[in-house]
Amino acid sequence: MSYQISNALEKFRDQNFSGALKELENILKSDPENVTAILTKARCQLALQHTDAAHSSYQALIKYPKIGDAAKAEANLYLGNFTQAVSIYKNILQQNAGDDETLFLASVAYYKLGQIQASVNHLEKAVESGFEWEDDT
């Protein structure tokens, strides 16, 4: 199973979202509670602009008790549960204050809540911690 996940993640990193999605769907047939597969499936669906499917995947994801905080926060952020996402990001940052990706995602959640200063503060900390923008142009 780990080979299949590695293969799917490699396809995802290479932006072969359709190929990754096929691999992930096969993985989930035999392991329907594989959190990594569900999370990556949702990300592939978003990349392919399958927003309804991604929404369903994120909703399914937050129901699993074994889900980690980062995945739970990402799902809540996507689903519009910004207060819940901020709460989870705060907990993550208490354990690792310099996590640049978490700082960035927290800044997005704060922005969505209209808490602009908190958003700017977290974005500045993310950049100071090494967060790099990905230019998709």
Side-chain angles (χ1 to χ4, degrees):
M1 184 64 70
S2 64
Y3 169 76
Q4 288 178 301
I5 280 286
S6 296
N7 197 28
L9 292 173
E10 185 176 331
K11 287 180 180 182
F12 179 81
R13 281 189 293 275
D14 292 341
Q15 298 184 0
N16 177 359
F17 303 118
S18 295
L21 193 55
K22 287 178 186 175
E23 296 265 351
L24 294 162
E25 287 171 350
N26 285 332
I27 292 165
L28 290 167
K29 285 178 186 174
S30 60
D31 186 5
E33 295 186 10
N34 186 312
V35 173
T36 301
I38 297 168
L39 180 60
T40 308
K41 178 181 175 182
R43 291 173 177 169
C44 286
Q45 291 164 328
L46 280 178
L48 293 168
Q49 299 180 352
H50 301 162
T51 53
D52 289 343
H55 188 85
S56 294
S57 293
Y58 278 121
Q59 282 184 318
L61 187 63
I62 60 174
K63 294 178 183 176
Y64 291 110
K66 347 183 239 190
I67 185 174
D69 284 344
K72 187 179 288 188
E74 179 181 330
N76 278 290
L77 180 62
Y78 175 78
L79 293 170
N81 304 328
F82 306 123
T83 301
Q84 183 67 22
V86 164
S87 176
I88 298 167
Y89 287 132
K90 282 181 181 179
N91 289 336
I92 295 169
L93 291 169
Q94 284 178 349
Q95 297 170 18
N96 186 1
D99 183 337
D100 61 333
E101 185 175 349
T102 300
L103 286 162
F104 172 74
L105 293 171
S107 77
V108 172
Y110 278 115
Y111 178 82
K112 295 289 191 175
L113 288 171
Q115 297 179 24
I116 304 305
Q117 191 57 55
S119 175
V120 169
N121 291 344
H122 281 77
L123 184 57
E124 287 175 347
K125 290 177 186 175
V127 172
E128 289 169 5
S129 295
F131 184 79
E132 295 183 23
W133 300 99
E134 292 181 20
D135 189 359
D136 292 335
T137 57

